[in-house]
């Protein structure tokens, strides 16, 4: 995953970088597209990185996989939430809360049982540090498997737009292609 801070000044990337689960943070100049001042932060006691999102005030970065971690950019401290399989994708909603999809349905052959991961978790106050951010497990139940993803969604993240509005470079004569 890769994401940018709400003001567009920072970019974060997570993954298994050379066998070391981590996040990389960069300052980003949105006028010329330059990444600078790389900061590498190894995630403590962590297996891989998947979902990644900044808090609305841009001071915290949340990372998901088998556990949920929060990195505080103001103090450079990590907070690991109690062990839970919290899932895959994480996304800041228009209400500035964080939403985390629970994961995939799976069948346990040894137990002969199907397990359903159809829940979404919510972080109510992601601008707050550690447990004060208020992680709520299994807040919503979805009718189908959420998988590891959430829908692609774009919210304007910059306080000032440095680009002209996008205008299409093509026209379509056949509008019956899509409903």
């Amino acid at each position: 995953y890769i994401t940018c801070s709400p003001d567009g000044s920072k970019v974060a990337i997570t993954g298994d970088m050379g066998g070391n689960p981590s996040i990389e943070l960069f300052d980003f100049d949105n006028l010329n597209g330059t990444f600078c001042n790389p900061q590498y932060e190894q995630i403590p006691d962590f297996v891989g990185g998947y979902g990644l999102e900044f808090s609305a005030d841009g001071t915290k970065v949340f990372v998901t996989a088998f556990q949920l971690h929060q990195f505080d950019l103001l103090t450079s401290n990590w907070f690991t939430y109690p062990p839970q399989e919290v899932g895959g994708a994480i996304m800041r909603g228009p209400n500035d809360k964080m939403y985390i999809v629970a994961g995939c349905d799976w069948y346990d052959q040894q137990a002969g049982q199907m397990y359903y991961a159809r829940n979404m978790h919510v972080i109510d106050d992601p601008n707050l540090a550690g447990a004060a951010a208020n992680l709520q497990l299994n807040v919503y139940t979805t009718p189908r498997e959420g998988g590891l993803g959430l829908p692609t969604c774009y919210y304007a993240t910059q306080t000032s737009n440095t680009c002209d509005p996008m205008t299409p470079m093509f026209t379509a004569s056949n509008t019956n292609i899509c409903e």
Side-chain angles (χ1 to χ4, degrees):
Y1 265 68
I2 183 171
T3 191
C4 66
S5 63
D7 67 358
S9 68
K10 292 208 174 283
V11 172
I13 302 169
T14 190
D16 190 358
M17 323 276 185
N20 298 310
S22 64
I23 62 170
E24 290 184 272
L25 298 163
F26 298 89
D27 289 337
F28 181 69
D29 183 334
N30 61 12
L31 294 176
N32 63 23
T34 304
F35 290 90
C36 54
N37 302 323
Q39 179 182 349
Y40 175 85
E41 297 292 337
Q42 188 163 349
I43 303 168
D45 302 321
F46 193 64
V47 180
Y50 194 81
L52 180 72
E53 185 66 274
F54 280 93
S55 59
D57 68 1
T59 64
K60 313 290 184 294
V61 177
F62 291 84
V63 186
T64 64
F66 294 107
Q67 287 181 273
L68 175 66
H69 298 269
Q70 179 197 73
F71 181 72
D72 190 323
L73 280 77
L74 301 176
T75 64
S76 295
N77 289 330
W78 282 101
F79 180 82
T80 301
Y81 291 83
Q84 297 281 341
E85 189 172 336
V86 295
I90 181 170
M91 179 184 287
R92 187 180 63 253
N95 60 0
D96 291 332
K97 294 182 180 192
M98 299 281 192
Y99 296 89
I100 307 167
V101 70
C104 300
D105 294 351
W106 77 95
Y107 181 75
D108 183 334
Q109 270 189 309
Q110 281 187 311
Q113 182 172 348
M114 185 72 180
Y115 292 94
Y116 297 95
R118 297 183 177 193
N119 294 312
M120 291 193 65
H121 315 302
V122 177
I123 302 171
D124 286 325
D125 304 297
N127 293 335
L128 301 179
N134 199 15
L135 170 64
Q136 302 293 317
L137 297 173
N138 305 323
V139 173
Y140 300 107
T141 301
T142 62
R144 293 187 175 188
E145 172 186 327
L148 294 175
L150 288 168
T152 302
C153 188
Y154 173 77
Y155 299 109
T157 58
Q158 298 176 356
T159 54
S160 61
N161 188 356
T162 58
C163 303
D164 291 328
M166 293 177 68
T167 54
M169 300 294 291
F170 63 91
T171 59
S173 58
N174 181 351
T175 58
N176 294 326
I177 295 172
C178 299
E179 292 183 17

